[in-house]
Amino acid sequence: MSSKRWAVETVRDEILSAIAEVRTVARSESDKQRSHAAGWLHELFVGVADRRDLRAATAKAFSLYGGTGSFSDVGSAESAHAVDRLAKGLRRGRSWFLRNS
């Protein structure tokens, strides 16, 4: 992972945006399980304000998400893109190089 220092707010917003994309694609594909997971993830990240909370939320997300290889059973290019984008955001959320602002 790069040593670039990402702002917590930037990473949180990136994750929330990716979650919204996962939810939108899941709804369009009638994927209730992925849609439910996206709702749970949204609630997990929406109140995050600092590095400690972001890292904790990311750890919890990975417990559901199963790691960066999870959700690999995507059924469409749109779904694959959304899931890859979420995985990228979650990996950034685990970085030790986060800064609070």
Side-chain angles (χ1 to χ4, degrees), residues 77-90:
E78 294 82 8
S79 188
H81 177 269
V83 168
D84 288 346
R85 190 171 163 220
L86 177 57
K88 181 180 177 183
L90 290 176

Side-chain angles (χ1 to χ4, degrees), residues 6 17 20 22 37 44 56 61 70 78 80-81 87 93 95 99:
W6 295 95
S17 178
V22 168
L44 187 60
S70 190
E78 294 82 8
H81 177 269
S95 173
R99 58 184 169 82

Side-chain angles (χ1 to χ4, degrees), residues 4-15 48-51 54 92-93 95 97-101:
K4 181 172 182 172
R5 292 186 60 90
W6 295 95
V8 168
E9 296 83 6
T10 300
V11 175
R12 180 205 55 221
D13 292 348
E14 175 185 355
I15 291 169
V48 166
D50 62 29
R51 179 178 40 228
L54 181 61
R92 283 192 181 142
S95 173
F97 298 103
L98 294 167
R99 58 184 169 82
N100 279 324
S101 58

Side-chain angles (χ1 to χ4, degrees), residues 1 3 10-11 14 18 21 23-24 28 30 37-38 40 42 45 47 52 68 76 84 90 95:
M1 182 166 293
S3 63
T10 300
V11 175
E14 175 185 355
E21 184 177 353
R23 181 184 292 170
T24 298
S28 74
S30 300
W40 184 84
H42 175 81
F45 284 95
R52 183 180 56 92
T68 58
S76 68
D84 288 346
L90 290 176
S95 173

